[in-house]
């Protein structure tokens, strides 16, 4: 089967935040002492992009960028002029689609109205607010630096600046949270009329403060009740679930995340950033990640910024593909599997048949889609495709 080059995105990692949250396992670093070298970091990002384009050659050059995502850390610590500098530099190196979605993650405690105006002028057309909860006691327990009132004010300020495409991040199953509390968070979010909501369960990740000293969390049954009740309320309000933890108004799905779930390509720039690129000529899917610590990333040159780089083994491609595609509620066309992996459908015939027999996947030869049961036991479904390639 021929491997076809899918859409291409940019992920840009901004590693600093005001302080590290106790549940966070991302590559983020709290501010200490002198302010970080923000301007130098942006120039290093562009040098990083140059190096990737030189290494990946025709597999990357000339392909239009369909989305850009500034993640972190807290990207809103970077001034609008620096975001503008990066975007101008990236556009000089790669064509951007005319409707390119450009998202900036923001912390409600680190932005003010003037910055929203500046981000919009720089070309950022979508904001993602890390709110997590509208309960001040829960926010303090989560180590957040903002209050519920500050979160609401920040969202309204962005809307006043002209932003019409906003995501709010919410968590549920928080320490000692009740079902009523989880629903109240959803109601407060809906009152702000975002176009998109990310709603996901707090989990204890290894090497975090919460993992070392676990707070009292709701049990699995209580967490499931919260998930179902919040899903129903979001659906009632017109937010359709399209991914395990993502809900959107009509036409407002996150294109960048969709590209991940559909096994698209993305260049990863910044400390600890991961990327994936399909080389149609070579018939390979390649992953590359950058060195994690910001200081090491800044001090490195060229190849030294690369923390690792390898083609995905053919027998790992089915698992990697399903790990993404089956998160989508509507699934993906069956034909996409061959086009995005270069493998024939026969490579997954056995686990596919078993997953359908168990009621995990819909009986549809034209589409890969998990049933409601499969969505609930998604990890088991995905693991069925591990090391099963023919």
């Amino acid at each position: 089967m021929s491997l076809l080059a899918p859409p291409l995105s940019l992920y840009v990692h901004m590693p600093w935040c005001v302080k590290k949250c106790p549940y966070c396992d991302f590559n983020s670093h709290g501010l200490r002492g002198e302010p970080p070298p923000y301007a130098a970091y942006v120039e290093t990002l562009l040098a990083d992009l140059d190096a990737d384009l030189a290494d990946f050659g025709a597999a990357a050059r000339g392909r239009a960028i369909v989305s850009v995502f500034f993640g972190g850390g807290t990207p809103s610590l970077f001034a609008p002029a620096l975001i503008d500098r990066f975007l101008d530099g990236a556009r000089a190196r790669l064509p951007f689609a005319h409707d390119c979605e450009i998202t900036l993650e923001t912390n409600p405690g680190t932005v003010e109205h003037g910055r929203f105006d500046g981000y919009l002028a720089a070309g950022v057309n979508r904001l993602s607010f890390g709110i997590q909860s509208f309960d001040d006691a829960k926010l303090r327990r989560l180590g957040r630096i903002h209050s519920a009132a500050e979160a609401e004010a920040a969202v309204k300020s962005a809307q006043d600046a002209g932003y019409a495409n906003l995501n709010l991040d919410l968590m549920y199953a928080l320490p000692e949270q009740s079902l009523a509390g989880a629903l109240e968070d959803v109601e407060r979010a809906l009152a702000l009329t975002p176009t998109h909501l990310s709603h996901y369960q707090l989990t204890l990740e290894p090497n975090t403060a919460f993992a070392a000293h676990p707070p009292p969390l709701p049990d699995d049954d209580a967490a499931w009740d919260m998930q179902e009740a919040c899903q129903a309320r979001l659906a009632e309000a017109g937010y359709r679930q399209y991914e395990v933890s993502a809900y959107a108004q009509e036409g407002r799905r996150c294109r960048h995340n969709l590209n991940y779930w559909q096994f698209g390509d993305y260049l990863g720039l910044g400390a600890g950033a991961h990327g994936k690129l399909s080389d149609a000529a070579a018939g390979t899917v390649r992953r590359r990640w950058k060195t994690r610590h910001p200081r090491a990333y800044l001090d490195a040159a060229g190849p030294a910024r690369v923390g690792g780089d390898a083609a995905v083994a053919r027998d790992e491609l089915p698992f990697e593909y399903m790990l993404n595609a089956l998160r989508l509620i509507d699934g993906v066309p069956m034909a996409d599997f061959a086009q995005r992996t270069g493998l024939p459908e026969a490579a997954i015939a056995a686990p596919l048949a078993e997953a359908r027999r168990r009621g995990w996947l819909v009986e549809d030869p034209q589409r890969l889609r998990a049933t409601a049961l499969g969505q609930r036991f998604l990890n088991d479904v995905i693991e069925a495709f591990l090391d099963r390639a023919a």
Side-chain angles (χ1 to χ4, degrees), residues 179 182-183 186 199 223-235:
L179 174 57
L183 283 168
V186 169
H199 187 253
W224 180 253
D225 289 344
M226 291 178 195
Q227 179 180 327
E228 286 196 312
C230 292
Q231 282 176 339
R233 180 65 187 100
L234 289 167

Side-chain angles (χ1 to χ4, degrees), residues 4-5 12 35 42 60 82 87 110 113 128 132-133 162 184 201-202 215-216 228 261 264 271 311 352 365 372:
L4 300 181
V12 187
V42 169
L82 293 176
L87 289 172
T110 63
H113 181 83
S128 180
Q132 316 312 358
S133 177
E184 176 63 17
Q201 182 177 348
L202 172 63
E228 286 196 312
W261 310 140
L352 194 61

Side-chain angles (χ1 to χ4, degrees), residues 224-300:
W224 180 253
D225 289 344
M226 291 178 195
Q227 179 180 327
E228 286 196 312
C230 292
Q231 282 176 339
R233 180 65 187 100
L234 289 167
E236 180 184 42
Y239 292 79
R240 183 162 183 262
Q241 184 182 17
Y242 68 95
E243 188 265 339
V244 169
S245 58
Y247 304 76
Q249 293 177 343
E250 187 66 32
R252 293 298 195 174
R253 298 180 178 190
C254 177
R255 292 185 211 162
H256 186 85
N257 286 345
L258 275 175
N259 195 35
Y260 287 155
W261 310 140
Q262 293 167 347
F263 214 53
D265 284 350
Y266 49 99
L267 297 176
L269 307 175
H274 283 240
K276 166 192 171 285
L277 200 72
S278 304
D279 188 332
T284 59
V285 175
R286 187 170 165 187
R287 291 202 180 277
R288 168 175 285 191
W289 53 99
K290 306 301 169 57
T291 188
R292 284 179 59 85
H293 198 277
R295 187 74 262 168
Y297 177 81
L298 280 160
D299 290 344

Side-chain angles (χ1 to χ4, degrees), residues 175-187:
E176 300 178 303
Q177 187 177 45
S178 65
L179 174 57
L183 283 168
E184 176 63 17
D185 275 347
V186 169
E187 292 297 339

Side-chain angles (χ1 to χ4, degrees), residues 260-262 320-328 331-332 368:
Y260 287 155
W261 310 140
Q262 293 167 347
E320 291 249 356
Y321 182 84
M322 298 299 174
L323 184 64
N324 292 281
L326 291 182
R327 291 182 63 94
L328 292 170
V332 293
L368 279 167

Side-chain angles (χ1 to χ4, degrees), residues 82-374:
L82 293 176
I83 300 299
D84 185 52
R85 164 65 182 142
F86 173 81
L87 289 172
D88 278 351
R91 287 191 188 96
R93 292 160 169 82
L94 285 167
F96 277 37
H98 74 280
D99 58 349
C100 182
E101 176 193 86
I102 303 176
T103 301
L104 182 89
E105 287 188 333
T106 66
N107 184 317
T110 63
V111 288
E112 65 276 345
H113 181 83
R115 286 205 174 209
F116 290 132
D117 291 336
Y119 293 136
L120 193 62
V124 175
N125 51 33
R126 184 176 183 272
L127 294 175
S128 180
F129 284 92
I131 290 175
Q132 316 312 358
S133 177
F134 289 95
D135 181 320
D136 284 339
K138 296 291 186 284
L139 288 170
R140 287 192 294 272
R141 194 69 178 269
L142 293 172
R144 304 299 289 172
I145 65 171
H146 66 273
S147 68
E150 287 170 334
E152 290 171 335
V155 173
K156 291 173 182 175
S157 182
Q159 291 167 330
D160 289 344
Y163 275 99
N165 198 5
L166 299 175
N167 170 65
L168 307 185
D169 274 0
L170 284 183
M171 302 172 86
Y172 67 93
L174 303 179
E176 300 178 303
Q177 187 177 45
S178 65
L179 174 57
L183 283 168
E184 176 63 17
D185 275 347
V186 169
E187 292 297 339
R188 296 277 292 272
L190 292 175
L192 294 169
T193 64
T195 51
H196 189 284
L197 277 163
S198 297
H199 187 253
Y200 51 95
Q201 182 177 348
L202 172 63
T203 55
L204 302 183
E205 301 294 344
N207 303 314
T208 63
F210 270 7
H213 305 284
L217 299 180
D219 62 28
D220 289 345
D221 288 340
W224 180 253
D225 289 344
M226 291 178 195
Q227 179 180 327
E228 286 196 312
C230 292
Q231 282 176 339
R233 180 65 187 100
L234 289 167
E236 180 184 42
Y239 292 79
R240 183 162 183 262
Q241 184 182 17
Y242 68 95
E243 188 265 339
V244 169
S245 58
Y247 304 76
Q249 293 177 343
E250 187 66 32
R252 293 298 195 174
R253 298 180 178 190
C254 177
R255 292 185 211 162
H256 186 85
N257 286 345
L258 275 175
N259 195 35
Y260 287 155
W261 310 140
Q262 293 167 347
F263 214 53
D265 284 350
Y266 49 99
L267 297 176
L269 307 175
H274 283 240
K276 166 192 171 285
L277 200 72
S278 304
D279 188 332
T284 59
V285 175
R286 187 170 165 187
R287 291 202 180 277
R288 168 175 285 191
W289 53 99
K290 306 301 169 57
T291 188
R292 284 179 59 85
H293 198 277
R295 187 74 262 168
Y297 177 81
L298 280 160
D299 290 344
R305 288 191 207 97
V306 178
D309 188 347
V312 180
R314 286 176 62 85
D315 62 359
E316 295 175 357
L317 279 169
F319 174 77
E320 291 249 356
Y321 182 84
M322 298 299 174
L323 184 64
N324 292 281
L326 291 182
R327 291 182 63 94
L328 292 170
I329 303 302
D330 292 338
V332 293
M334 180 63 76
D336 281 8
F337 173 78
Q339 294 174 356
R340 301 285 167 98
T341 66
L343 299 173
E345 187 180 325
I348 55 170
L352 194 61
E354 178 63 13
R356 286 173 174 159
R357 186 190 69 78
R358 289 175 174 265
W360 288 344
L361 295 181
V362 173
E363 291 279 357
D364 184 348
Q366 303 303 317
R367 197 161 192 87
L368 279 167
R369 180 164 68 90
T371 60
L373 178 67

